[in-house]
Amino acid sequence: YEVEDIIDSKRTRKKLYYLVHWKGYNIQEQTWEPAENLENSRELIERFHKGNPEKPRRGRRRPLRRR
């Protein structure tokens, strides 16, 4: 499978995931993939974060909210 684009990112249970659009597949077949599965897509991940600097990324965690 080949990654065409990174659509979104999220952190779930302290693990980083990216929403991946796969080359040759339609939008309904996008999947959330753990960051470690996308080591060969670093350029796409960098481009995603350049356009979405507020989204979760590796090494940067959101501060805890105080109640």
Side-chain angles (χ1 to χ4, degrees):
Y1 299 100
E2 187 177 344
V3 175
E4 184 171 313
D5 203 9
I6 303 295
I7 307 301
D8 200 359
S9 69
K10 68 179 180 179
R11 195 172 292 279
T12 303
R13 297 182 187 206
K14 299 182 182 182
K15 194 169 185 179
L16 181 62
Y17 291 86
Y18 289 99
L19 183 59
V20 174
H21 180 76
W22 300 100
K23 191 170 190 171
Y25 290 86
N26 62 40
I27 197 168
Q28 291 86 3
E29 296 175 294
Q30 293 175 346
T31 58
W32 287 100
E33 297 293 328
E36 60 267 15
N37 288 359
L38 300 171
E39 293 296 325
N40 294 327
S41 301
R42 289 183 182 174
E43 288 179 22
L44 290 172
I45 290 170
E46 287 175 19
R47 186 175 69 192
F48 168 77
H49 284 298
K50 193 172 191 177
N52 301 279
E54 76 287 351
K55 292 290 187 174
R57 65 173 55 210
R58 195 175 284 209
R60 221 179 76 186
R61 299 193 189 270
R62 280 195 235 170
L64 295 174
R65 290 184 188 175
R66 293 187 183 202
R67 293 182 183 189

